[in-house]
Amino acid sequence: MPERRTVALVTLGCARNEVDSEELAGRLAADGWELVEEAADADVAVVNTCGFVEAAKKDSVDALLEANDLKDHGRTQAVVAVGCMAERYGKELAEALPEADGVLGFDDYADISSRLRTILSGGSVEAHTPRDRRKLLPLSPVQRQEAVAGVALPGHAQEPAPAPADLPEGVAPASGPRAPLRRRLDTSPVASVKLASGCDRRCSFCAIPSFRGSFVSRRPSDVLGETRWLAEQGVKEVMLVSENNTSYGKDLGDIRLLETLLPELAAVDGIERVRVSYLQPAEMRPGLIDVLTSTEKVAPYFDLSFQHSAPDVLRAMRRFGDTDRFLELLETIRGKAPQAGVRSNFIVGFPGEREEDFAELERFITHARLDAIGVFGYSDEDGTEAAGYADKLGQEVVDERLAHLSRLAEELTAQRAEERLGETLEVLVESVDASPGGDGAVGRAAHQAPETDGQVVFTAPGGLVPGRMVTAKVVGTEGVDLVAECLEEAGR
């Protein structure tokens, strides 16, 4: 019997990448690979890279180099790059980083096992050749569902899945007979579910559509099936992810499909909370706000991609809105759900951003009462419209504005946390460490998404276990984090 090969998946970037890694894990486990947590314990380390912004790309390169170092003094024999950076740069990345034994794109995912076996046996796999993935599907959204069969879309049902009886324990088709395999890589009570792939927006600063492709929704039955499977694995909260969740259903003939799907997901046995991420302010509609603020088990959580609030900057970004319209949207949301959580990201130092534009952005975040704020300094991204803009700001100006707004954001989000003193929240317990010097019990309320937002720290861990939903009262704050005392198990 041949030696069982081991593989470790190192995941960088967003929750969408985490879902892709679990699909790769499912495919590899189904083909006999043993999955291990640490790259040092693996024959091959697969690094799922991020290619979004310069800092993320640097992190991806550092992770590849770190994994490569293991080849000199450990079990690791090969390091392979997959994910967005590999898809975006392909052969260019392979030439610039010869330490990577393979650079594989999305088209390689279906045959990931054979690709890795070839590399481990000393063979070579041709590095991925990048292409504009927006051109792979019809321009009209309603024509895409019939055309996706020949286009690789990680996380979508595109090929017949093996029968469950033929799969190892912990691996299953995540939705139906034509579904991506998936295997969980941790035991967290929270998991992401991919709602769609790609994006049709043409923001002048963003390269994502070029390497993730045009917007394609997953069918509701696939999303429901995957959620049911995750619930069977012990998941209590699912977070719906895509490049733009507010567009869900437009290629299925119903732009309001998300409003119908959310109550169905919330009704899945075992699921305690459904969270929606990645919402576009310009696409928010009254019916969606109503469902997000009034449906039991659906978190009144709004991850709104504002990016800026000065009209001239937004137009240069190929986006819409202004400070007053954004504040009106927030007022509408909080009028329906006063405890609703809102987070957003902003770009400062965008080409042509004047001092008065920056002041307008300050005015917005000062009045918006956001729970979490991410601030990024503008940098040119290959292949984007903004990279060709002439009126670039000096790096010193960008850095100064970034530092200033980051300090303001830290102060404002801490103030917003203090506004929640005395509130009663439903908190999902995520980890418990009752050892001396441990973190105690930690969880998240409805207004706190995994990784990106704050958390709830309990005053006493006694009786709490991961995956339990409890009612808690906020008694203190630590920056954006809340300190709370457990009142009782949340009743349904």
Side-chain angles (χ1 to χ4, degrees):
M1 184 175 179
E3 180 185 1
R4 189 174 175 86
R5 293 295 197 177
T6 57
V7 59
L9 285 150
V10 180
T11 307
L12 304 172
C14 66
R16 300 186 295 276
N17 258 16
E18 293 172 5
V19 176
D20 291 349
S21 285
E22 294 198 346
E23 177 187 344
L24 292 173
R27 290 181 180 277
L28 291 166
D31 201 42
W33 290 76
E34 180 182 349
L35 295 162
V36 295
E37 291 186 12
E38 300 298 330
D41 299 327
D43 295 313
V44 56
V46 177
V47 181
N48 192 348
T49 61
C50 178
F52 180 38
V53 294
E54 201 60 41
K57 288 183 281 188
K58 182 181 182 301
D59 289 343
S60 295
V61 170
D62 289 345
L64 287 164
L65 292 173
E66 182 178 341
N68 182 70
D69 289 342
L70 298 173
K71 291 191 291 186
D72 296 330
H73 48 77
R75 173 170 179 161
T76 309
Q77 301 172 46
V79 176
V80 175
V82 299
C84 291
M85 191 175 180
E87 175 66 36
R88 184 177 180 184
Y89 295 104
K91 290 183 176 180
E92 181 183 342
L93 176 63
E95 293 171 359
L97 197 71
E99 292 85 353
D101 299 285
V103 176
L104 308 180
F106 300 149
D107 295 334
D108 294 301
Y109 282 19
D111 298 311
I112 187 68
S113 179
S114 64
R115 300 287 192 273
L116 297 189
R117 289 185 188 279
T118 296
I119 291 170
L120 277 181
S121 65
S124 62
V125 174
E126 185 177 359
H128 166 68
T129 300
R131 51 182 172 166
D132 189 340
R133 300 191 74 85
R134 292 171 294 189
K135 299 177 180 179
L136 302 182
L137 291 171
L139 185 63
S140 171
V142 295
Q143 295 177 349
R144 292 175 191 161
Q145 291 290 328
E146 300 300 322
V148 296
V151 178
L153 294 174
H156 288 243
Q158 295 178 271
E159 62 207 46
D166 297 330
L167 295 170
E169 183 179 356
V171 178
S175 50
R178 296 184 66 84
L181 297 176
R182 183 169 182 176
R183 171 169 172 166
R184 299 213 64 208
L185 292 173
D186 60 39
T187 58
S188 168
V190 184
S192 296
V193 173
K194 192 172 287 189
L195 193 63
S197 292
C199 185
D200 289 341
R201 301 184 71 87
R202 294 296 180 262
C203 301
S204 63
F205 57 84
C206 183
I208 290 176
S210 67
F211 57 85
R212 277 290 184 178
S214 300
F215 185 89
V216 181
S217 303
R218 293 182 67 196
R219 294 191 176 276
S221 57
D222 291 341
V223 179
L224 276 165
E226 186 164 347
T227 300
R228 293 190 183 103
W229 179 78
L230 288 168
E232 293 170 0
Q233 307 300 304
V235 169
K236 299 300 180 183
E237 176 180 325
V238 293
M239 184 167 74
L240 302 181
V241 299
S242 77
E243 280 72 20
N244 178 10
N245 281 332
T246 34
S247 284
Y248 179 69
K250 72 176 186 179
D251 53 323
L252 296 173
D254 186 359
I255 191 60
R256 295 177 176 81
L257 197 55
L258 184 55
E259 288 93 303
T260 304
L261 178 61
L262 284 172
E264 296 182 62
L265 293 171
V268 170
D269 188 33
I271 295 298
E272 294 291 336
R273 180 185 289 153
V274 178
R275 184 183 304 277
V276 184
S277 62
Y278 305 110
L279 301 170
Q280 287 291 339
E283 298 181 28
M284 291 301 296
R285 47 195 179 269
L288 180 55
I289 294 174
D290 288 341
V291 171
L292 288 170
T293 55
S294 64
T295 307
E296 185 180 9
K297 294 189 179 182
V298 173
Y301 176 79
F302 294 81
D303 177 9
L304 293 163
S305 177
F306 289 121
Q307 301 299 345
H308 213 284
S309 72
D312 289 346
V313 176
L314 287 168
R315 301 305 174 268
M317 289 179 169
R318 303 291 184 202
R319 298 177 67 84
F320 308 95
D322 56 50
T323 295
D324 292 334
R325 270 189 275 185
F326 290 162
L327 291 175
E328 288 173 7
L329 173 60
L330 296 178
E331 184 178 358
T332 298
I333 291 170
R334 290 177 175 132
K336 296 177 180 294
Q339 288 186 326
V342 185
R343 84 169 317 276
S344 192
N345 294 322
F346 300 93
I347 298 173
V348 298
F350 193 79
E353 181 189 64
R354 301 163 300 178
E355 289 187 9
E356 53 264 42
D357 297 324
F358 185 66
E360 185 68 2
L361 177 55
E362 282 189 281
R363 181 171 81 89
F364 172 65
I365 71 166
T366 299
H367 291 88
R369 297 170 58 231
L370 302 176
D371 293 277
I373 299 173
V375 186
F376 300 88
Y378 173 81
S379 62
D380 286 338
E381 282 298 313
D382 299 332
T384 61
E385 181 183 355
Y389 285 177
D391 47 354
K392 304 282 178 58
L393 278 64
Q395 192 60 49
E396 289 185 2
V397 175
V398 176
D399 292 344
E400 180 183 344
R401 292 181 181 180
L402 174 62
H404 177 82
L405 201 70
S406 297
R407 288 193 298 269
L408 179 60
E410 186 175 351
E411 294 173 6
L412 291 171
T413 51
Q415 290 175 17
R416 176 65 181 132
E418 291 175 358
E419 291 179 20
R420 294 189 179 276
L421 284 169
E423 284 187 0
T424 300
L425 308 172
E426 287 193 2
V427 181
L428 177 64
V429 181
E430 290 196 345
S431 64
V432 178
D433 181 0
S435 63
D439 295 331
V442 176
R444 288 179 302 99
H447 70 280
Q448 298 168 319
E451 307 296 336
T452 58
D453 306 337
Q455 59 188 13
V456 175
V457 180
F458 289 92
T459 55
L464 297 177
V465 294
R468 180 181 171 190
M469 187 75 79
V470 300
T471 302
K473 182 179 180 180
V474 181
V475 296
T477 65
E478 297 176 356
V480 296
D481 296 337
L482 304 179
V483 179
E485 59 181 20
C486 180
L487 300 179
E488 60 185 354
E489 187 167 352
R492 291 295 185 186

